[in-house]
Amino acid sequence: MAKRTFPQQYPWIDFCTLGVEKDLPAALQAKYDRVLGTTVVHAASYITRSCEQIRLMLRKDGFVMLLELTRTINWFDLIFRLLS
């Protein structure tokens, strides 16, 4: 969705869909300063391996920011439905 919404505004950002349980393509290894993910690893079969794959994407001084729910919050989906 972000790729469709912002392609002209942010040409310096790479938008892609990545299966974190698969081996990371060589073209993506050590390429990024920051990796952002929302509800990415919570449903992975092997969370540690998935996090390792995400880490491989980062440059030496890069960092990952993940948003993962650790418990059910009844109002969480309500907030996202209010966004256009």
Side-chain angles (χ1 to χ4, degrees):
M1 173 131 177
K3 187 176 185 176
R4 290 189 308 262
T5 306
F6 303 113
Q8 305 305 321
Q9 293 171 305
Y10 305 102
W12 45 271
I13 295 178
D14 293 330
F15 296 99
C16 66
T17 302
L18 177 69
V20 294
E21 293 186 293
K22 299 176 183 176
D23 288 337
L24 186 67
L28 297 179
Q29 293 181 15
K31 182 177 180 179
Y32 300 100
D33 296 315
R34 290 158 187 82
V35 174
L36 312 175
T38 302
T39 61
V40 174
V41 296
H42 73 281
S45 299
Y46 301 99
I47 293 174
T48 301
R49 169 134 167 79
S50 296
C51 290
E52 289 169 352
Q53 292 298 306
I54 293 169
R55 175 64 181 99
L56 287 174
M57 295 170 56
L58 294 173
R59 292 181 178 157
K60 185 177 179 180
D61 59 347
F63 65 89
V64 174
M65 293 189 305
L66 295 176
L67 171 65
E68 295 287 340
L69 295 178
T70 57
R71 60 187 169 96
T72 302
I73 302 173
N74 294 331
W75 51 265
F76 189 76
D77 61 342
L78 173 69
I79 292 171
F80 284 98
R81 289 191 182 121
L82 295 174
L83 300 174
S84 58

